[in-house]
Amino acid sequence: MSDFLRRSRARTLLLVLLLCALPFYLDAFWLRIGLFSMAAAVGAIGLGLLSGTAGQLSLGHAFFLAVGAYGYVWLAGEPGPGLPPALAVVLAVLLAGAAGGLFSPVAARVRGIYLGIATLALVFLGHHVLLTADSVTGGFNGSSVPPLELGGFSFTGADPELTVLGVPFGAEERLWYLSLALFALTWFTARGILRGRPGRAMVALRDSETAAAVMGVHIARYRSAAFVVSSMYAGLAGVMLALAFRRVVPDYFGLALSVDYLAMIVIGGLGSVAGATAGAVFVTALPLLMTRYADQLPLVAAPGTTDGAVGPTEAARYLYGAAIVLILLFAPDGLHGLVRRTRARLRRRRTVTEDADTATPEPSPASADRAKEPTP
């Protein structure tokens, strides 16, 4: 096993241990930021596969998140069939994938800005359905999210009471480990897709459809498959968001949410799983942090005040809008590419330094002549 692979596995193990230990030290506010960030990262990874790897522009990601969230609420709730919550999660993800499959013929035939406009129509159509289908969605006021239970253990409730190492585990702590497991599953699944034949086919499709067709890539099939997989990722993210919010409302799943997801993958780096995750954490955590510390920040008004200053949410959008501009100007491959180039530069410097330290100095001509002279 190479030293690089050994160090990579060690870093991954340390990161997993750190994430598992955080619920023992963080309060509910920081745990909620983590829950929202992990849910957003799952959706951003799916959009990264579609737009960053397969090269298909989508402005309708919020629609598929709504399908996953409301699908779980209806399937596990009283107005619906009242299925076991774990089964409702699986069916909600499949329902989002089916919605993507129904739209995939359009995705297989149009591309670029035309596909973006077509997916944008999904957002407006979905928002109208969420507002008018009161019996299923609850209308404007939304619906409460049924608690997730598995084997009698509730992830979203405080009963039964649970204490681990003296720390009481409420809904946030329990959902943390569930979200972490789902995020890890989607992370490694996406990495496997990118490293396998489907990933290479989607990259070839993004770079040149003509070259991909010459190499034997079925263009319509892979474009449709990328849309379905991305929709399933969005559906799972919608379920995770619903469990974290504990209530779903139609206004959350609007055009602004789709734009947020595009910002995530652009800031993080197109076509990168780690970049999509970093962008999701940045875009999700920034408005929450600005809301909490609004009274300590200049030019930002505290929530509920009307003193003419910019609100935390608007200020956060301005900031990551500026971040997008800076990324496009100075790091077009996003935060992931910036980190990769920095690490490569540091590695080259370290290699040059080690080579200079271990190199044997060349003997000077004078010392070489003295060495040739016979000793008396």
Side-chain angles (χ1 to χ4, degrees), residues 28-86:
F29 171 77
W30 296 102
L31 291 179
R32 281 193 292 270
I33 289 182
L35 294 177
F36 298 147
S37 297
M38 284 187 281
V42 172
I45 290 172
L47 185 60
L49 291 175
L50 178 65
S51 298
T53 304
Q56 301 185 72
L57 176 63
S58 174
L59 292 173
H61 214 54
F63 170 80
F64 299 104
L65 272 92
V67 172
Y70 277 95
Y72 169 76
V73 171
W74 185 77
L75 290 169
E78 290 300 328
L83 299 176

XYZ file of all heavy atoms in Angstrom, residues 28-86:
416
model
N -27.645 22.519 20.131
C -28.645 22.212 19.119
C -28.504 23.097 17.886
O -28.763 22.644 16.760
C -30.047 22.363 19.728
N -28.091 24.359 18.058
C -27.968 25.261 16.911
C -26.960 24.739 15.907
O -27.223 24.670 14.695
C -27.571 26.652 17.394
C -27.201 27.595 16.273
C -28.181 28.177 15.500
C -25.865 27.872 15.991
C -27.852 29.036 14.454
C -25.528 28.717 14.959
C -26.530 29.307 14.192
N -25.784 24.361 16.372
C -24.740 23.879 15.465
C -25.105 22.519 14.875
O -24.754 22.217 13.727
C -23.415 23.803 16.202
C -22.928 25.143 16.641
C -22.994 25.665 17.905
C -22.339 26.146 15.821
N -22.472 26.936 17.918
C -22.058 27.256 16.664
C -22.013 26.230 14.467
C -21.478 28.422 16.182
C -21.430 27.383 13.981
C -21.164 28.466 14.834
N -25.819 21.703 15.644
C -26.249 20.421 15.096
C -27.276 20.623 13.991
O -27.261 19.905 12.976
C -26.837 19.548 16.203
C -25.845 19.037 17.253
C -26.570 18.204 18.298
C -24.731 18.223 16.604
N -28.164 21.608 14.145
C -29.134 21.883 13.080
C -28.434 22.380 11.822
O -28.822 22.023 10.705
C -30.165 22.906 13.560
C -31.246 22.311 14.452
C -32.399 23.275 14.627
N -32.004 24.457 15.399
C -32.080 24.548 16.707
N -32.535 23.511 17.421
N -31.730 25.655 17.337
N -27.404 23.211 11.983
C -26.625 23.629 10.810
C -26.029 22.411 10.116
O -26.047 22.300 8.886
C -25.525 24.624 11.224
C -26.125 25.967 11.604
C -24.522 24.810 10.085
C -25.104 27.014 11.975
N -25.512 21.477 10.897
C -24.961 20.266 10.307
C -26.007 19.434 9.594
O -25.751 18.887 8.507
N -27.203 19.329 10.169
C -28.274 18.562 9.527
C -28.678 19.184 8.196
O -28.808 18.489 7.188
C -29.486 18.479 10.463
C -29.311 17.689 11.759
C -30.572 17.765 12.611
C -28.978 16.237 11.462
N -28.878 20.503 8.199
C -29.248 21.173 6.959
C -28.124 21.076 5.928
O -28.385 20.927 4.722
C -29.589 22.641 7.229
C -30.765 22.836 8.145
C -30.825 23.919 9.009
C -31.812 21.922 8.161
C -31.902 24.097 9.855
C -32.898 22.086 9.008
C -32.947 23.176 9.853
N -26.877 21.163 6.392
C -25.744 21.105 5.463
C -25.603 19.723 4.843
O -25.330 19.597 3.638
C -24.454 21.492 6.192
O -24.508 22.825 6.666
N -25.791 18.677 5.645
C -25.687 17.324 5.090
C -26.812 17.043 4.103
O -26.596 16.412 3.055
C -25.674 16.294 6.214
C -24.351 16.209 6.957
S -24.247 14.854 8.149
C -25.176 15.552 9.521
N -28.024 17.513 4.415
C -29.127 17.337 3.468
C -28.855 18.094 2.177
O -29.066 17.569 1.072
C -30.436 17.816 4.107
N -28.380 19.331 2.296
C -28.055 20.111 1.099
C -26.920 19.469 0.316
O -26.916 19.506 -0.929
C -27.691 21.537 1.495
N -25.952 18.878 1.009
C -24.833 18.242 0.315
C -25.299 17.063 -0.525
O -24.801 16.845 -1.637
C -23.784 17.787 1.334
N -26.261 16.294 -0.009
C -26.787 15.171 -0.792
C -27.430 15.678 -2.077
O -27.186 15.151 -3.172
C -27.795 14.368 0.053
C -28.497 13.314 -0.806
C -27.094 13.689 1.228
N -28.260 16.717 -1.967
C -28.872 17.282 -3.170
C -27.859 17.900 -4.103
O -27.980 17.790 -5.335
N -26.829 18.562 -3.548
C -25.812 19.191 -4.386
C -24.975 18.144 -5.119
O -24.572 18.360 -6.272
C -24.909 20.087 -3.534
N -24.705 17.026 -4.480
C -23.964 15.955 -5.154
C -24.756 15.446 -6.354
O -24.207 15.212 -7.439
C -23.653 14.819 -4.167
C -22.620 15.273 -3.136
C -23.144 13.579 -4.900
C -22.394 14.282 -2.017
N -26.078 15.288 -6.171
C -26.906 14.853 -7.293
C -26.919 15.859 -8.424
O -26.809 15.489 -9.604
N -27.042 17.144 -8.098
C -27.016 18.164 -9.140
C -25.639 18.247 -9.786
O -25.517 18.533 -10.987
C -27.412 19.517 -8.556
C -27.538 20.671 -9.552
C -28.586 20.362 -10.610
C -27.883 21.967 -8.840
N -24.583 17.999 -8.992
C -23.241 17.989 -9.565
C -23.065 16.883 -10.597
O -22.397 17.073 -11.624
N -23.659 15.717 -10.334
C -23.604 14.640 -11.321
C -24.321 15.037 -12.605
O -23.863 14.705 -13.707
C -24.237 13.365 -10.745
C -23.487 12.665 -9.613
C -24.314 11.500 -9.089
C -22.128 12.172 -10.079
N -25.434 15.748 -12.466
C -26.218 16.117 -13.637
C -25.594 17.272 -14.404
O -25.391 17.190 -15.621
C -27.641 16.477 -13.200
C -28.598 16.929 -14.302
C -28.870 15.787 -15.278
C -29.897 17.449 -13.711
N -25.292 18.360 -13.702
C -24.818 19.570 -14.383
C -23.301 19.606 -14.516
O -22.775 20.028 -15.550
C -25.295 20.821 -13.621
O -26.705 20.887 -13.598
N -22.581 19.170 -13.475
C -21.133 19.242 -13.512
C -20.496 18.137 -14.315
O -19.522 18.365 -15.036
N -21.049 16.917 -14.215
C -20.448 15.772 -14.902
C -21.090 15.508 -16.252
O -20.403 15.330 -17.262
C -20.562 14.511 -14.021
O -19.968 14.764 -12.744
C -19.859 13.340 -14.669
N -22.432 15.479 -16.288
C -23.125 15.197 -17.547
C -23.354 16.447 -18.385
O -23.754 16.338 -19.551
C -24.462 14.511 -17.271
N -23.149 17.643 -17.806
C -23.266 18.875 -18.566
C -24.680 19.295 -18.901
O -24.908 19.969 -19.913
N -25.665 18.919 -18.063
C -27.060 19.281 -18.312
C -27.500 20.335 -17.303
O -27.481 20.093 -16.102
C -27.970 18.054 -18.203
C -27.616 16.951 -19.181
C -28.620 15.823 -19.125
O -29.743 15.951 -19.577
N -28.199 14.703 -18.558
N -27.902 21.491 -17.794
C -28.340 22.570 -16.920
C -29.725 22.272 -16.378
O -30.643 21.950 -17.138
C -28.352 23.893 -17.699
C -28.878 25.113 -16.940
C -28.001 25.431 -15.740
C -28.971 26.314 -17.878
N -29.880 22.390 -15.067
C -31.180 22.146 -14.437
C -31.474 23.263 -13.453
O -30.673 23.542 -12.558
C -31.192 20.793 -13.719
O -32.401 20.623 -13.000
N -32.640 23.887 -13.628
C -33.133 24.881 -12.679
C -34.330 24.346 -11.895
O -34.994 25.109 -11.208
C -33.534 26.160 -13.415
C -32.396 26.957 -14.043
C -32.946 28.099 -14.887
C -31.455 27.487 -12.977
N -34.590 23.055 -12.016
C -35.759 22.474 -11.365
C -35.438 21.561 -10.213
O -36.261 20.707 -9.847
N -34.258 21.724 -9.610
C -33.872 20.810 -8.532
C -34.824 20.931 -7.345
O -35.070 19.940 -6.655
C -32.433 21.112 -8.102
C -31.667 19.897 -7.689
N -31.535 18.786 -8.486
C -30.993 19.605 -6.541
C -30.811 17.875 -7.864
N -30.484 18.336 -6.689
N -35.341 22.118 -7.090
C -36.258 22.301 -5.970
C -37.518 21.458 -6.140
O -38.110 21.010 -5.145
C -36.622 23.780 -5.827
N -37.945 21.240 -7.370
C -39.137 20.426 -7.613
C -38.934 19.000 -7.114
O -39.815 18.426 -6.457
C -39.465 20.424 -9.104
C -40.527 19.444 -9.495
C -41.859 19.749 -9.296
C -40.199 18.230 -10.070
C -42.857 18.844 -9.659
C -41.172 17.326 -10.433
C -42.511 17.627 -10.225
N -37.782 18.412 -7.388
C -37.538 17.034 -6.987
C -37.299 16.923 -5.477
O -37.625 15.896 -4.872
C -36.364 16.472 -7.779
C -36.608 16.456 -9.260
C -36.011 17.394 -10.085
C -37.466 15.531 -9.823
C -36.257 17.400 -11.450
C -37.722 15.525 -11.194
C -37.116 16.466 -12.006
N -36.748 17.961 -4.866
C -36.680 17.979 -3.414
C -38.080 17.989 -2.812
O -38.349 17.304 -1.808
C -35.899 19.192 -2.920
C -34.387 19.029 -2.780
C -33.677 19.454 -4.058
C -33.845 19.821 -1.612
N -38.984 18.769 -3.415
C -40.360 18.810 -2.921
C -41.047 17.464 -3.097
O -41.817 17.038 -2.218
C -41.132 19.903 -3.664
N -40.779 16.782 -4.198
C -41.379 15.461 -4.407
C -40.925 14.498 -3.313
O -41.733 13.741 -2.757
C -41.017 14.920 -5.805
C -41.464 13.466 -5.949
C -41.662 15.764 -6.881
N -39.636 14.514 -2.976
C -39.145 13.647 -1.917
C -39.720 14.003 -0.560
O -40.153 13.123 0.199
N -39.740 15.296 -0.222
C -40.217 15.727 1.085
C -41.705 15.446 1.247
O -42.146 14.812 2.223
C -39.929 17.215 1.276
N -42.510 15.905 0.306
C -43.954 15.700 0.406
C -44.340 14.241 0.174
O -45.362 13.777 0.694
C -44.683 16.613 -0.580
C -44.888 18.003 -0.050
C -43.993 19.020 -0.350
C -45.986 18.304 0.763
C -44.175 20.306 0.130
C -46.181 19.587 1.243
C -45.272 20.583 0.930
O -45.461 21.852 1.423
N -43.549 13.534 -0.617
C -43.816 12.110 -0.798
C -43.684 11.358 0.511
O -44.526 10.503 0.846
N -42.636 11.659 1.267
C -42.484 11.010 2.575
C -43.613 11.399 3.522
O -44.184 10.545 4.225
C -41.139 11.376 3.198
C -41.026 10.953 4.640
C -40.806 9.620 4.981
C -41.168 11.889 5.669
C -40.722 9.221 6.307
C -41.080 11.501 7.000
C -40.864 10.167 7.306
O -40.799 9.772 8.629
N -43.956 12.703 3.566
C -45.012 13.164 4.468
C -46.331 12.478 4.162
O -47.049 12.043 5.078
C -45.148 14.698 4.367
C -46.385 15.184 5.118
C -43.905 15.385 4.918
N -46.663 12.347 2.880
C -47.948 11.740 2.528
C -47.928 10.228 2.735
O -48.899 9.652 3.249
C -48.283 12.050 1.070
C -49.646 11.544 0.684
C -50.849 12.099 0.988
C -49.920 10.375 -0.087
N -51.876 11.337 0.463
C -51.329 10.278 -0.208
C -49.127 9.401 -0.691
C -51.952 9.245 -0.906
C -49.740 8.380 -1.390
C -51.135 8.304 -1.489
N -46.857 9.576 2.355
C -46.805 8.122 2.466
C -46.790 7.652 3.919
O -47.368 6.616 4.255
C -45.569 7.581 1.738
C -45.585 7.681 0.214
C -44.218 7.364 -0.356
C -46.638 6.735 -0.363
N -46.121 8.422 4.788
C -46.030 8.013 6.194
C -47.088 8.655 7.077
O -47.202 8.307 8.249
C -44.644 8.350 6.748
N -47.860 9.621 6.529
C -48.818 10.364 7.336
C -50.203 9.744 7.331
O -50.500 8.776 6.612
N -51.066 10.363 8.118
C -52.433 9.868 8.267
C -53.285 10.050 7.020
O -54.024 9.142 6.654
C -53.101 10.548 9.471
C -52.540 10.099 10.818
C -52.709 8.616 11.054
O -53.707 8.050 10.570
O -51.842 8.002 11.701
N -53.240 11.207 6.333
C -54.066 11.304 5.115
C -53.677 10.283 4.064
O -54.504 9.883 3.249
C -53.809 12.734 4.626
C -53.305 13.471 5.822
C -52.535 12.467 6.609
N -52.412 9.868 4.073
C -51.955 8.904 3.097
C -52.136 7.484 3.592
O -52.904 7.209 4.516
N -51.413 6.556 3.023
C -51.560 5.149 3.421
C -50.985 4.823 4.788
O -51.233 3.735 5.309
C -50.807 4.396 2.313
C -49.850 5.393 1.748
C -50.502 6.719 1.871
N -50.211 5.717 5.389
C -49.652 5.453 6.710
C -48.657 4.313 6.735
O -48.676 3.468 7.641
N -47.775 4.268 5.755
C -46.783 3.198 5.665
C -45.729 3.344 6.753
O -45.571 4.423 7.342
C -46.110 3.251 4.294
C -47.013 3.049 3.075
C -46.206 3.217 1.794
C -47.667 1.673 3.113
N -44.996 2.278 7.047
C -43.862 2.409 7.978
C -42.900 3.480 7.481
O -42.612 3.554 6.269
C -43.228 1.013 7.951
C -44.337 0.102 7.555
C -45.204 0.886 6.616
N -42.396 4.331 8.377
C -41.571 5.467 7.927
C -40.359 5.062 7.095
O -40.024 5.757 6.131
C -41.163 6.130 9.245
C -42.244 5.763 10.206
C -42.659 4.376 9.820
N -39.688 3.969 7.478
C -38.514 3.557 6.702
C -38.898 3.210 5.271
O -38.202 3.573 4.308
C -37.837 2.369 7.376
